[in-house]
Amino acid sequence: MPFLNVAFDPGERLQVDIRFSAGRMQVGELSLGRTAGTVTSRQGTLTIGIGESEIYGGFGAGTLSLTRLDGKSRWDCTMALDGIEAGPLLQSLVGLDSVRGSGAMRFSASGYGDTLGDVLSALEGRGRVDLRNGTLRGVNIQAVAQAMASGRLEDLPAASNGSSGFLSLNTGLVLTSGMATMESFALDTGSLTVEGEGRVQLAARTIDAQAVVRLKDEARGTEAIPEIPLVVRGNLSAPRVYPPTRWLLRRASPASVADPIRLDLRGAQSFTDNPSGPRPLSR
């Protein structure tokens, strides 16, 4: 599917300067409300500038430039969004429906290609996401909290099913060859916090990340595990979530008798033997 349904090769002699205002715009799958901006073409580059646009409950501004180099399309984009609903925006842009919440996003990126998949696979740049009062699909953070509070790690397989509410989600992003590396990822659900880092393949929509989950003091019981490392790997819509095997073995070793937990290693085996497999966690 073409990224844009136009065949435009701005020549160096062609100059265009258009200002526009619209009550509603549709750009591919992206729906915009009241929008004001410009379209210019100079020295072989077509640029669409958005001064302000109503977008998914918030406001946005930015630029999108297209340059044809050696028969290839180069796209450069800067974007600042505030007060937006992340769910419908990400669904429209990249077909991702696993993150919802309202907040702010900042991106500056470039890539080559004539299809959305080609551009996503070649993206380079940086970004930041700050969301609040949202949900994550495919990961049940509450199940993690319950397993930690009770000390029963055999209950962790439930963490790969369902969805989770969060109070805040914050992360920086570095885009390299279509891969988004999360920097200083932080999530707060009210009962626990999650800090981590990892990589997301944008075109393939897969994740490979490591995180540390910490129970807040008020959520800890007498047998609680206050901190646990987790691996998150697989498809973004249904990733597998499990603790590293080495950490499990250390918790189950005789040296841990002074700090015992109830752990059935046979149950743990189902989610550590094949961490990269496509099937979801099961007991």
Side-chain angles (χ1 to χ4, degrees), residues 137-276:
R137 285 186 54 192
V139 179
N140 189 340
I141 301 296
Q142 187 60 34
V144 176
Q146 291 173 352
M148 293 175 67
S150 65
R152 296 182 56 86
L153 292 187
E154 58 266 37
D155 294 335
L156 272 178
S160 283
N161 300 299
S163 61
S164 306
F166 61 80
L167 299 179
S168 63
L169 184 157
N170 311 93
T171 186
L173 296 170
V174 177
L175 305 173
T176 307
S177 299
M179 180 181 295
T181 300
M182 295 180 289
E183 291 186 332
S184 303
F185 176 90
L187 183 141
D188 189 335
T189 71
S191 61
L192 56 76
T193 61
V194 181
E195 296 180 354
E197 59 185 16
R199 299 171 297 177
V200 175
Q201 287 281 4
L202 297 176
R205 300 174 192 170
T206 59
I207 185 171
D208 186 352
Q210 302 79 42
V212 176
V213 183
R214 296 182 175 91
L215 274 180
K216 293 188 176 181
D217 291 342
E218 57 270 24
R220 297 182 185 180
T222 57
E223 298 187 28
I225 305 170
E227 180 178 305
I228 180 174
L230 289 177
V231 175
V232 182
R233 184 173 295 167
N235 191 284
L236 275 173
S237 61
R240 304 182 71 233
V241 182
Y242 55 91
T245 305
R246 290 183 179 180
W247 184 86
L248 281 173
L249 294 175
R250 284 199 303 268
R251 295 293 301 185
S253 67
S256 302
V257 171
D259 181 23
I261 63 171
R262 294 186 295 273
L263 175 62
D264 181 355
L265 283 180
R266 291 173 299 176
Q269 186 176 7
S270 64
F271 56 92
T272 59
D273 280 351
N274 185 22
S276 60

Side-chain angles (χ1 to χ4, degrees), residues 39-116:
V39 178
T40 61
S41 177
R42 290 186 176 87
Q43 297 181 338
T45 298
L46 174 69
T47 302
I48 301 173
I50 302 296
E52 183 178 87
S53 178
E54 296 175 345
I55 176 170
Y56 298 112
F59 294 91
T63 61
L64 176 66
S65 299
L66 167 63
T67 305
R68 295 289 291 182
L69 298 173
D70 299 326
K72 296 181 179 180
S73 298
R74 174 187 168 92
W75 301 85
D76 294 275
C77 176
T78 61
M79 180 171 58
L81 305 172
D82 292 287
I84 52 91
E85 291 295 330
L89 174 67
L90 294 174
Q91 177 69 42
S92 299
L93 287 177
V94 294
L96 178 64
D97 62 354
S98 57
V99 181
R100 293 187 177 274
S102 60
M105 295 185 181
R106 299 286 187 272
F107 291 101
S108 177
S110 61
Y112 288 87
D114 294 319
T115 68
L116 179 57

